[in-house]
């Protein structure tokens, strides 16, 4: 069944990190409600298309529908690799273009209000975030050996895309790290 396939995928085939697994659990659970007890060999492309169309009609966003489709693609790809099915019913389905969502930058007044409310230790961390645009995980993994105070750069190692990069240090970040 699709449920058995999901269980096996999560046990042996998933390359999802623990965080991704937690984030995808709701998606997986809803897919199990839809396809769970059906034999995986009997789920066809039109079944997936119908499910996604129904979710669209219920008001689910393109981005969310794409997450459902991507989850189905990786699970059925594993089933195909393991020889359980001849061809993935999701392999030829395309994700919908989502467009680029423009971030809303904080206004100076908002930043000032936030910083005045924070304790000094937290204020320093938030200022580093604001001045470097590092991700939380990148900042948390920084070592002093990644900080070049003389060259005013921070080296981000093993980021999400796998390529180390150098981030220039603003005067404020240099001042915070020097302290």
């Amino acid at each position: 069944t699709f449920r058995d396939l999901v269980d096996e995928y999560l046990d042996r085939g998933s390359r999802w990190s623990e965080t991704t697994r937690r984030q995808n659990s709701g998606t997986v659970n809803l897919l199990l409600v839809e396809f769970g007890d059906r034999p995986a060999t009997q789920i066809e492309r039109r079944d997936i298309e119908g499910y996604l169309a129904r979710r669209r009609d219920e008001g689910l966003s393109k981005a969310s529908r794409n997450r459902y489709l991507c989850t189905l693609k990786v699970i059925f790809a594993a089933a195909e690799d393991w020889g359980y099915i001849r061809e993935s019913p999701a392999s030829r389905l395309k994700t919908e273009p989502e467009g680029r969502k423009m971030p809303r930058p904080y206004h100076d007044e908002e930043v000032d209000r936030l910083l005045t409310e924070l304790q000094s230790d937290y204020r320093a961390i938030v200022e580093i975030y604001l001045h470097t645009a590092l991700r939380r995980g990148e900042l948390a993994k920084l070592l002093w050996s990644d900080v070049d105070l003389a060259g005013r750069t921070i080296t981000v190692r093993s980021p999400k895309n796998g390529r180390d990069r150098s981030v220039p240090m603003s005067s404020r970040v240099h001042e915070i790290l020097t302290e």
Side-chain angles (χ1 to χ4, degrees):
T1 65
F2 181 74
R3 183 178 314 282
D4 296 330
L5 179 59
V6 168
D7 289 343
E8 185 169 350
Y9 175 76
L10 293 174
D11 285 345
R12 80 171 186 148
S14 172
R15 287 183 273 159
W16 293 342
S17 69
E18 194 54 43
T19 302
T20 302
R21 189 180 288 243
R22 273 194 312 275
Q23 290 170 341
N24 288 351
S25 67
T27 300
V28 169
N29 288 336
L30 286 172
L31 290 171
L32 287 171
V33 168
E34 182 70 18
F35 301 109
D37 296 326
R38 292 181 60 183
T41 55
Q42 292 180 10
I43 298 171
E44 299 178 2
R45 176 181 176 164
R46 65 188 164 123
D47 298 320
I48 297 170
E49 289 173 324
Y51 174 72
L52 295 172
R54 195 172 71 249
R55 297 306 312 265
R56 179 197 62 226
D57 294 345
E58 293 168 355
L60 197 67
S61 71
K62 285 181 183 181
S64 294
R65 292 192 308 270
N66 284 341
R67 299 300 92 43
Y68 284 95
L69 179 56
C70 289
T71 301
L72 286 166
K73 282 179 173 260
V74 297
I75 291 169
F76 279 117
E80 188 177 355
D81 288 345
W82 298 333
Y84 295 155
I85 58 176
R86 266 193 298 257
E87 182 182 3
S88 165
S91 65
R92 293 192 183 135
L93 293 173
K94 302 287 185 223
T95 57
E96 299 177 64
E98 296 175 25
R100 298 246 6 198
K101 193 162 119 179
M102 294 302 291
R104 186 187 75 77
Y106 292 111
H107 297 288
D108 290 340
E109 309 83 53
E110 292 174 304
V111 172
D112 291 341
R113 253 192 346 257
L114 172 68
L115 291 175
T116 58
E117 294 295 321
L118 294 172
Q119 296 172 7
S120 63
D121 290 350
Y122 296 118
R123 188 177 313 118
I125 293 168
V126 169
E127 286 188 86
I128 292 172
Y129 275 129
L130 290 170
H131 285 267
T132 62
L134 292 175
R135 293 181 174 98
R136 180 183 57 171
E138 293 171 340
L139 186 58
K141 288 192 274 182
L142 280 181
L143 301 173
W144 277 111
S145 58
D146 299 325
V147 176
D148 179 1
L149 289 171
R152 292 183 175 246
T153 60
I154 298 171
T155 301
V156 180
R157 302 194 190 284
S158 303
K160 195 172 179 179
N161 71 0
R163 291 183 299 236
D164 294 355
R165 71 180 189 282
S166 183
V167 177
M169 227 186 269
S170 68
S171 298
R172 180 63 184 138
V173 170
H174 186 266
E175 180 183 323
I176 291 168
L177 293 177
T178 302
E179 287 176 12

